[in-house]
Amino acid sequence: MVRKRVTLAQVAAEAGVAVSTASLVLGGRAADVRISAAAQERVQAAAERLGYRPNAVSVGLRKGRTSTLGFISDSVASSRLAGEMIKGAIEAARDRGFMVFVGETGGNVTLERQLLEAMVDRQVDGVILAALLTHGRELPDGLDQTPAVLLNIAVDDCGDLPVVLPDELQAGRDAAAALIDAGHRDIHLVGSGPGREDVRTISVAAKLRLDGILEVLTAHGLEPASGRAINQWLPPEGYAAVESILESGTPGAIVCFNDRLAMGVYQALQDHGLRIPDDVSVVSFDDASIAGWLRPGLTTVALPHRTMGKRAADVLIDVIEHHRATPDERGPHGVQLVPMPMRVRGSIRDLSA
Amino acid sequence: MVRKRVTLAQVAAEAGVAVSTASLVLGGRAADVRISAAAQERVQAAAERLGYRPNAVSVGLRKGRTSTLGFISDSVASSRLAGEMIKGAIEAARDRGFMVFVGETGGNVTLERQLLEAMVDRQVDGVILAALLTHGRELPDGLDQTPAVLLNIAVDDCGDLPVVLPDELQAGRDAAAALIDAGHRDIHLVGSGPGREDVRTISVAAKLRLDGILEVLTAHGLEPASGRAINQWLPPEGYAAVESILESGTPGAIVCFNDRLAMGVYQALQDHGLRIPDDVSVVSFDDASIAGWLRPGLTTVALPHRTMGKRAADVLIDVIEHHRATPDERGPHGVQLVPMPMRVRGSIRDLSA
DNA sequence: AGCGGTTGCTAGTTCGTTTTAGCACCGACT
DNA sequence: AGTCGGTGCTAAAACGAACTAGCAACCGCT
């Protein structure tokens, strides 16, 4: 049932040459060692005929490189976003001939260490350590055993590991600018307090988004009309925030700190008979799938998870391949900020028109 | 920077024994070959001291088994559901000492073959072939090179491969029963026509869900009040379907064939000033994340993707491990139907109370 | 002293490949 | 006749662990 693999020895026998000769030819090193054109052809033909494919395990053992990456994430399934990140990494890896082991920790540190060990045991060439849930965390031991890249993890002391992060600061600027450019001045925040001191410790992302927003508002001589710090960024909290805002009148525009808050905001505004964007404009962050399903479509600054995953894999493979070439040269890596693109849909009214 | 691994040879040297002795001891075969307790202890201690971990690549080459699975899916990122399936598989695999290569094809058959080859090259012990998007498809060649399980793929000719599928038929029964038990009689379908001949070729799932629904309705002497076959199960289509239903009056209850349709149904009902569940009851399928976010929460029959992934990995590993033990015994596998649990939220009004 | 039986270990082969070092042959030249 | 330089290939040693076959050493017995 399970067909036996063809080995190099069989190819060599079929071609009437030594194993080493076959290896040289198929490894493209025939020119180096002078193999006659005739012999090369026989080897190629034999390999073709038998359907030879090199055994990657053996190659891995011999070369010490397995063309394999590990992807360790705290969450795989929690959202489409995690999937996007993995997908990006897998695609980039595939394009460069790498396969990816995927592991999920659920935030469990012990599990994380075990996964890392299991991957290192399998001689992965490098590891991507990714996070969606937690920000600001400890790094596991064992990261010194293999090249590594941090994906969506902001740590104070990342050693000299490359880090891939979304450019939340610029995203904050863009969100604010989108409203201001459309002529809005009455801007309320849902998800963070109105001042820098109010961000709580929710996340690095929240802080940066707020910084970007405030920077642009300040540049226009504005400040947030109101702000609400919220611990759980879920629809019910968004709903409640709007009810609170409405006590002091109808807002001109609302910046939601993520799309799920925005969903609650939509529900609340609708329940109060307010229309988006005619009465209230809304802008948000993340570009979760609901953003496109809400009516009207939610304009939101997208977390480019796919691109981030791709970037992480590319950087990691660069390190792996480059490192071999020039062992002591530190690459041009460090923190890689991936731009967050604005997805313009229909939730912002253009007052300037 | 990258720490060198400790090899068995180093452990043996440290313990003052031969490599083979160390291997025997650490492999738990010391009793078979009579190694003195003293020697065993020295080996164990040395291994501990040096932090020895066997090189899985080497073991893989020698044993021909790598404790590695491949997971090939048409989609990884399209939804949380795909992630759940992968997560389930990864977890089950991990519990049994396996790591998982994940690959995504995007429905591309060539890519699928290449991924399969790349995995077989890496000597995976087996492969899970999964699908979310497509139903009823061709199986790739190369599946005869390695044990395999089909996950969420319904094919006519699956050879003797184990198949893991959700129990859509029972789900259809459950959805219908939930409405009927709550006293509903005026039941409209959104996503499928009212009769068996109307299902179109959308999907096997649609057909089975409908079969289940009709079976229960018929058993109560009922038939659907109306039905709408729809090709794209997305919110706008759900919205449109409701507008069409409302032309002939307010429906008592609506069965949506998935949650995204249900989302559109919610929006349309709200826009027409109808309240859920007071005016109209809604039940749906899938349990996508929005199901919990909608207000009121959507009662829906969940696709148990996590469980399915777990089951697939378990079945596959059974095949792998069992196969070694008794080569000619065909396992008790075949089609594995995983129950779809009902997630009761607030979208069905109980008329019988 | 020689033999059989046990105990306790190890040498050596194997898995499939890469890679280095070098062999055998041939013609040309001194 | 001997050396030299090419040419075309191959033997053999890795890589790290698993596993088989078998070798010493000792003990007790005749």
Side-chain angles (χ1 to χ4, degrees):
Chain A
M1 161 191 172
V2 171
R3 242 185 5 231
K4 202 80 184 78
R5 281 183 78 84
V6 176
T7 70
L8 189 54
Q10 293 173 40
V11 173
E14 174 91 2
V17 298
V19 180
S20 39
T21 308
S23 171
L24 259 4
V25 171
L26 296 175
R29 300 207 33 223
D32 295 7
V33 201
R34 289 185 309 254
I35 307 289
S36 68
Q40 291 191 39
E41 221 151 284
R42 268 181 297 138
V43 171
Q44 297 283 11
E48 180 84 14
R49 199 163 344 120
L50 300 180
Y52 170 73
R53 309 205 91 226
N55 180 325
V57 173
S58 175
V59 174
L61 179 58
R62 178 63 235 247
K63 295 221 236 188
R65 323 224 288 96
T66 52
S67 294
T68 293
L69 304 182
F71 188 108
I72 298 183
S73 169
D74 55 358
S75 62
V76 165
S78 59
S79 69
R80 209 200 54 203
L81 304 176
E84 291 282 354
M85 226 157 57
I86 292 175
K87 178 176 176 164
I90 288 178
E91 284 180 351
R94 190 213 328 121
D95 288 348
R96 300 179 68 171
F98 282 69
M99 289 256 80
V100 181
F101 281 125
V102 175
E104 139 147 352
T105 68
N108 180 327
V109 181
T110 311
L111 204 48
E112 183 172 66
R113 214 199 48 242
Q114 287 171 355
L115 276 173
L116 195 53
E117 278 172 353
M119 288 177 178
V120 171
D121 287 350
R122 282 170 175 81
Q123 303 274 79
V124 294
D125 295 332
V127 168
I128 296 172
L129 204 64
L132 266 186
L133 308 175
T134 51
H135 279 263
R137 58 193 292 285
E138 296 293 312
L139 293 184
D141 329 334
L143 273 192
D144 54 340
Q145 306 210 20
T146 179
V149 170
L150 302 184
L151 176 52
N152 205 32
I153 297 180
V155 261
D156 301 332
D157 173 29
C158 66
D160 39 15
L161 295 178
V163 186
V164 176
L165 292 172
D167 193 350
E168 304 273 13
L169 180 67
Q170 185 60 42
R173 295 191 191 115
D174 291 347
L179 290 178
I180 289 179
D181 291 352
H184 292 277
R185 294 293 177 270
D186 181 35
I187 298 173
H188 300 251
L189 309 185
V190 171
S192 148
R196 282 201 172 72
E197 67 285 356
D198 294 319
V199 192
R200 305 266 177 93
T201 53
I202 297 175
S203 72
V204 180
K207 188 191 164 308
L208 289 171
R209 288 173 185 181
L210 179 63
D211 282 349
I213 293 168
L214 293 182
E215 180 185 317
V216 170
L217 289 183
T218 306
H220 286 78
L222 297 172
E223 54 185 33
S226 82
R228 271 148 194 86
I230 293 173
N231 289 321
Q232 287 276 10
W233 287 358
L234 291 173
E237 282 73 18
Y239 195 97
V242 168
E243 301 212 297
S244 146
I245 290 174
L246 290 176
E247 286 172 9
S248 9
T250 301
I254 298 178
V255 180
C256 301
F257 271 60
N258 81 355
D259 291 342
R260 293 192 296 217
L261 284 173
M263 184 174 179
V265 165
Y266 264 55
Q267 291 168 334
L269 289 174
Q270 273 163 0
D271 284 0
H272 286 83
L274 293 168
R275 289 185 309 170
I276 304 169
D278 311 280
D279 300 317
V280 183
S281 290
V282 178
V283 67
S284 174
F285 296 89
D286 283 7
D287 194 30
S289 41
I290 40 165
W293 296 340
L294 290 171
R295 292 169 36 89
L298 175 63
T299 295
T300 185
V301 191
L303 274 174
H305 280 117
R306 173 92 145 275
T307 312
M308 289 167 62
K310 181 166 161 37
R311 180 76 65 87
D314 274 330
V315 168
L316 181 55
I317 296 175
D318 282 349
V319 169
I320 291 166
E321 293 183 340
H322 208 246
H323 212 264
R324 305 274 152 177
T326 59
D328 57 356
E329 175 186 316
R330 184 81 53 219
H333 310 299
V335 176
Q336 303 249 342
L337 289 183
V338 180
M340 294 177 63
M342 174 88 80
R343 303 265 187 260
V344 177
R345 299 200 175 88
S347 61
I348 298 183
R349 176 170 176 206
D350 192 346
L351 299 175
S352 66
Chain B
M1 160 191 175
V2 171
R3 237 179 18 223
K4 203 78 183 79
R5 281 185 79 83
V6 176
T7 71
L8 189 55
Q10 293 173 41
V11 173
E14 174 90 3
V17 298
V19 180
S20 38
T21 308
S23 172
L24 259 4
V25 172
L26 295 175
R29 302 207 29 226
D32 294 5
V33 202
R34 291 185 307 253
I35 307 289
S36 68
Q40 291 192 41
E41 221 152 286
R42 269 181 297 138
V43 171
Q44 297 283 11
E48 180 84 14
R49 199 162 346 119
L50 300 180
Y52 170 73
R53 310 205 91 225
N55 180 325
V57 173
S58 174
V59 174
L61 178 59
R62 180 64 236 257
K63 297 221 239 186
R65 321 225 289 97
T66 51
S67 292
T68 293
L69 304 182
F71 188 107
I72 298 183
S73 169
D74 56 357
S75 62
V76 164
S78 59
S79 70
R80 208 199 55 202
L81 305 176
E84 291 283 352
M85 225 157 59
I86 292 176
K87 178 175 176 164
I90 288 178
E91 284 180 352
R94 193 217 319 124
D95 289 347
R96 299 179 68 172
F98 282 69
M99 288 257 80
V100 181
F101 282 123
V102 175
E104 137 146 355
T105 68
N108 181 327
V109 182
T110 310
L111 204 48
E112 183 173 66
R113 215 199 48 242
Q114 287 171 355
L115 276 173
L116 195 53
E117 279 173 351
M119 287 178 178
V120 171
D121 287 351
R122 281 170 175 81
Q123 303 273 82
V124 294
D125 295 330
V127 169
I128 297 172
L129 204 63
L132 265 187
L133 308 175
T134 50
H135 278 262
R137 57 194 291 286
E138 296 293 312
L139 293 185
D141 329 333
L143 273 192
D144 55 340
Q145 306 211 20
T146 180
V149 170
L150 302 184
L151 176 51
N152 204 32
I153 296 181
V155 261
D156 301 330
D157 172 31
C158 67
D160 40 13
L161 296 177
V163 187
V164 176
L165 292 172
D167 193 350
E168 304 274 12
L169 181 66
Q170 185 59 42
R173 296 191 190 113
D174 291 347
L179 290 177
I180 289 179
D181 290 352
H184 291 277
R185 294 294 177 269
D186 181 35
I187 296 174
H188 299 252
L189 308 184
V190 171
S192 149
R196 282 203 171 69
E197 66 286 357
D198 294 320
V199 191
R200 307 267 175 94
T201 53
I202 296 176
S203 71
V204 180
K207 187 191 165 308
L208 290 171
R209 287 174 185 180
L210 179 63
D211 283 348
I213 293 167
L214 293 181
E215 180 186 318
V216 170
L217 289 183
T218 306
H220 286 79
L222 297 172
E223 54 184 32
S226 81
R228 272 149 194 84
I230 292 172
N231 289 322
Q232 287 274 10
W233 288 357
L234 291 173
E237 281 74 19
Y239 195 97
V242 168
E243 301 213 297
S244 145
I245 290 174
L246 290 177
E247 287 171 8
S248 11
T250 302
I254 298 178
V255 180
C256 302
F257 271 59
N258 81 355
D259 291 344
R260 293 191 297 215
L261 284 172
M263 184 174 178
V265 166
Y266 265 54
Q267 291 167 336
L269 290 173
Q270 274 162 359
D271 285 1
H272 286 82
L274 293 168
R275 288 184 310 167
I276 305 168
D278 309 280
D279 301 317
V280 183
S281 289
V282 178
V283 67
S284 171
F285 295 89
D286 282 8
D287 194 30
S289 41
I290 41 166
W293 297 339
L294 290 171
R295 290 167 38 88
L298 175 63
T299 294
T300 185
V301 191
L303 275 174
H305 279 117
R306 172 92 145 274
T307 312
M308 290 166 62
K310 179 166 163 36
R311 179 77 64 86
D314 274 328
V315 168
L316 181 55
I317 295 175
D318 283 348
V319 169
I320 291 167
E321 294 183 340
H322 208 247
H323 212 263
R324 305 276 153 177
T326 59
D328 58 355
E329 175 187 316
R330 183 81 52 218
H333 310 299
V335 176
Q336 303 250 341
L337 288 183
V338 180
M340 294 178 60
M342 174 89 82
R343 304 263 185 260
V344 177
R345 299 202 175 87
S347 61
I348 297 182
R349 178 172 173 200
D350 193 345
L351 299 174
S352 67

